């Protein structure tokens, strides 16, 4: 079965950086490389927020809240999507999920927690 597993979360101070990874497996009907992928997050007590998407060819889009600080990328040979988080703010504290689809809405992983605090 198709599966997405996120990793790389943790606790950092404001201004810090993290690199999240999303490993895909079981994509046998359609190859992973054919899927647009995305990252969404959910802060405590809030709804899901889409933050970034990447198409099959590597073209990326970002929410205004993370533009210039976060960078999405993919390695189709390894079936991995990355999200580089720089200049982290306390407001970035959330559970981060990767998923299929440029703006989400498809398969989603279980998430990785990012906590930003001093």
């Amino acid at each position: 079965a198709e599966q997405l597993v996120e990793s790389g979360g943790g606790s950092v101070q404001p201004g810090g950086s993290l690199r999240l990874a999303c490993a895909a497996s079981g994509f046998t009907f359609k190859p992973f490389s054919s899927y647009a992928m995305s990252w969404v997050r959910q802060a405590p007590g809030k709804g899901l927020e889409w933050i970034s998407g990447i198409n099959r060819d590597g073209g990326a889009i970002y929410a205004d809240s993370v533009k210039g600080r976060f960078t999405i990328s993919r390695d189709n040979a390894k079936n991995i999507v990355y999200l580089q988080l720089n200049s982290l703010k306390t407001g970035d504290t959330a559970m981060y999920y990767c998923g299929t689809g440029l703006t989400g809405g498809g398969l989603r992983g279980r998430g990785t927690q990012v906590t930003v605090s001093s």
Side-chain angles (χ1 to χ4, degrees), residues 3-70:
Q3 188 176 14
L4 300 171
V5 179
E6 300 91 338
S7 62
S11 296
V12 296
Q13 294 184 337
S17 298
L18 285 171
R19 189 193 197 198
L20 308 183
C22 169
S25 63
F27 284 68
T28 54
F29 182 69
K30 280 178 56 179
F32 169 78
S33 59
S34 70
Y35 285 87
M37 299 294 294
S38 56
W39 287 90
V40 300
R41 66 185 180 186
Q42 187 166 25
K46 297 187 177 180
L48 282 173
E49 176 191 13
W50 173 85
I51 55 176
S52 183
I54 187 167
N55 65 22
R56 295 172 293 179
D57 301 322
I61 52 175
Y62 299 93
D64 288 344
S65 59
V66 306
K67 196 175 295 182
R69 300 189 299 121
F70 292 5

